[in-house]
Amino acid sequence: MKFLFKPVFVFIFLLCSFYANAQRMGQWRTYLPYNNTTKVEQTPNLVFGISDGALFSVGKEDKSIKTYSKIDGLSDYNILHIKYNEARNMLLIAYANSNIDLLINDKIHNISDIKNKIIYTSKTINDIYFYNQFAYLSCDFGIVVLNLQKREVTDTYIIGDNGTYLPIKSTLIKDGKIYALGTNALYSANINNPLLANYENWSQEPTPSATITNESLLLFNDNIFLLKTNGNIHTCSAPDSWSLFESNMKGMKVSNSFLLIYNASEAKSYNSSLVLQQQIGYLLSDVVYSSENCYWIADLSAGITKFIPGISTESFCPDGPARLPCYEMTFAHNRLYVVTGSFWENQQNGYPGAVMILTEDKHWKNFTTSNMYPLLGYSFHNLTQIAVDKTDGKHFFVSSFGNGVYEFQNDAFYKRYDQFNSSLERHNYINDIDSIRTDGVVIDKNNNLWLTNHFASKGIKVRLANGSWLSVDNTSMNNAGQLQSFDKTTVGSNNYKWFNLPRSSSGIFVLNDKNNPANPANFQYRWFDSFTDQDGNIFSAKSYYCITEDK
């Protein structure tokens, strides 16, 4: 065998950030997932939904679908809460980083005070409560009061002992008192007191089941409702007379003059006299009541669903990828291929996987557990890489960290490869169904599929263009013989195969198979655990995460 001595690659040794060339905003497109809707809010004409931090709306009458992003004028990304103020025809948008937008007549007004404020604790906004011209924001450090007319922060209440930060879950105002729900206590003060920023003007109120953590608070028909983390909802007209209202619930809200309480599989609606009007069964994350027995549901798999019990069910979801975050992607045949997954996740639970393809006609095709489970019999998770056939964009392979390799033909699942129908091996020390750990699938110039097989006796596998499988015996190839956890695979312009090892004896292994993987006697290879620059300086890195070739 001969050895390679002249590396032709530029190596990226540690995670780094990179910057695209500046482009005008109009030249960008945003692709966000909209099927996993967790919150809904309605206006007279629209129903808004949040899915994985992205915002979209559905027209109640014309059923039109609209998406909103920074390109469309939003000030930030990763939306946490939305709340509609009917008096001002305004949607308040709260982001995970505590930035705030006011959407009024299709115009965005930003209030970034909380986001920009430097404090040494969480600034997360937990709830929004409207009263007169003010919005009371319950935050992880206290209460922030927004003047909606002036569009500015008016006051901040830090009400913990001795003026310390105190997480507030919810806020409401009743009978001249402002109530603030803490994690383990309920606080109140005179709403007309000009010194509410002074913690000494707040007092603690009695709550039921004091040892159970508080979740949220709301006001309906002059009654206070308190939701606990154990699912119990308690109610009172004053905090000294609590009674149990309902159990096994996860959320509650006032919608179109009805009280809605719900859990993951059902919702109940009550009129102003607290008489149960309807109970519906549906898998949901949030719900609003529109009119004429119509519910709009935050559907965890289909966007926003319009549900009229016993009559019709109709779902609305903008076209987009199935999930976030993206783990790996590649571009081929004028298509974008994306996988979500993880490399080190627990095998039993697994990181939810998805194969997402932006097709030639700019529509998304998604493969997730919902449509793969019936074919596989188990969850589609821990995906690590995708490789596309050089001659057919609808033929591709996906590696997984636990369940081997998946093959897709004609944009449909075709076959799973494991130890029984390929050269793949289970983990040397773990002999269970989830131990075929693969990564780094890539197709070379001869349409052979290369990949890494973690903790196997032979850590490099090849599926030849004719469909047969073989293993590359790297046990005698210098230090590479002891390395059982190669990560990614890169094919260079000269068809050399480059493998990085991110942990243990970190380094780079390069292999020239002479365009014949079945003839290892002619292989050339070399192992790099350090590098020498043009001045003779030797350097190395603790971890090698990826490789790219200088074009």
Side-chain angles (χ1 to χ4, degrees), residues 527-542:
W527 166 256
F528 296 92
D529 55 15
S530 64
F531 302 90
T532 303
D533 65 16
Q534 64 273 18
D535 298 320
N537 300 312
I538 299 175
F539 63 96
S540 62
K542 183 178 180 181

Side-chain angles (χ1 to χ4, degrees), residues 380-413:
F380 195 45
H381 60 227
N382 291 349
L383 309 181
T384 54
Q385 187 65 284
I386 188 167
V388 185
D389 191 310
K390 297 291 185 182
T391 61
D392 182 2
K394 296 183 179 181
H395 182 212
F396 49 92
F397 299 83
V398 179
S399 55
S400 72
F401 196 66
N403 288 303
V405 175
Y406 303 100
E407 182 181 5
F408 292 77
Q409 290 186 8
N410 198 28
D411 276 348
F413 172 68

Side-chain angles (χ1 to χ4, degrees), residues 80 95-98 114-115 117-126 138-144 158 165-168:
L80 203 58
Y95 297 90
N97 63 2
S98 301
I114 305 176
K115 174 186 175 182
K117 182 69 175 179
I118 299 176
I119 59 174
Y120 298 101
T121 190
S122 169
K123 298 186 289 183
T124 299
I125 297 172
N126 299 312
S138 302
C139 304
D140 269 356
F141 59 88
I143 301 170
V144 175
I158 308 298
Y165 297 131
L166 179 71
I168 302 299

Side-chain angles (χ1 to χ4, degrees), residues 33 35-36 52 320-326 338 340 351-354 356 366 368:
N35 54 309
N36 184 34
D52 285 318
R323 311 186 52 85
L324 287 177
C326 301
V338 185
T340 66
Y351 191 95
M356 305 171 292
N366 297 303
T368 64

Side-chain angles (χ1 to χ4, degrees), residues 20 33 43 52 71 89 107 112 141 163 224 226 275 309 331 371 374 398 428 432 446-447 454-455 481 489 501 519:
T43 74
D52 285 318
I71 292 177
N89 189 28
K107 293 183 179 180
S112 59
F141 59 88
I224 299 174
L226 169 62
V275 176
F331 189 83
N371 56 17
V398 179
N428 283 340
D432 60 43
N446 300 312
N447 225 23
H454 293 242
F455 292 97
T489 311
L501 188 77
N519 187 14

Side-chain angles (χ1 to χ4, degrees), residues 17 25 42 72 111 154 237 250 294 324 355 427 455 481 519 536:
S17 59
M25 290 294 289
Q42 67 176 332
D72 303 308
I111 302 175
T154 297
S237 57
K250 74 163 191 175
C294 176
L324 287 177
V355 176
H427 193 296
F455 292 97
N519 187 14

Side-chain angles (χ1 to χ4, degrees), residues 255-306:
S255 181
N256 201 22
S257 301
F258 282 83
L259 172 66
L260 301 181
I261 62 175
Y262 55 92
N263 56 31
S265 60
E266 67 173 351
K268 298 179 180 181
S269 60
Y270 294 83
N271 65 15
S272 59
S273 299
L274 294 182
V275 176
L276 178 64
Q277 296 298 290
Q278 194 167 43
Q279 181 174 348
I280 63 171
Y282 201 95
L283 296 179
L284 56 87
S285 180
D286 193 9
V287 59
V288 294
Y289 178 77
S290 180
S291 61
E292 299 178 357
N293 200 31
C294 176
Y295 297 84
W296 294 85
I297 292 171
D299 195 312
L300 290 172
S301 62
I304 294 176
T305 295
K306 181 182 181 181

Side-chain angles (χ1 to χ4, degrees), residues 182-197:
T183 303
N184 299 299
L186 177 64
Y187 304 86
S188 69
N190 187 328
I191 188 61
N192 296 312
N193 190 325
L195 300 176
L196 289 177

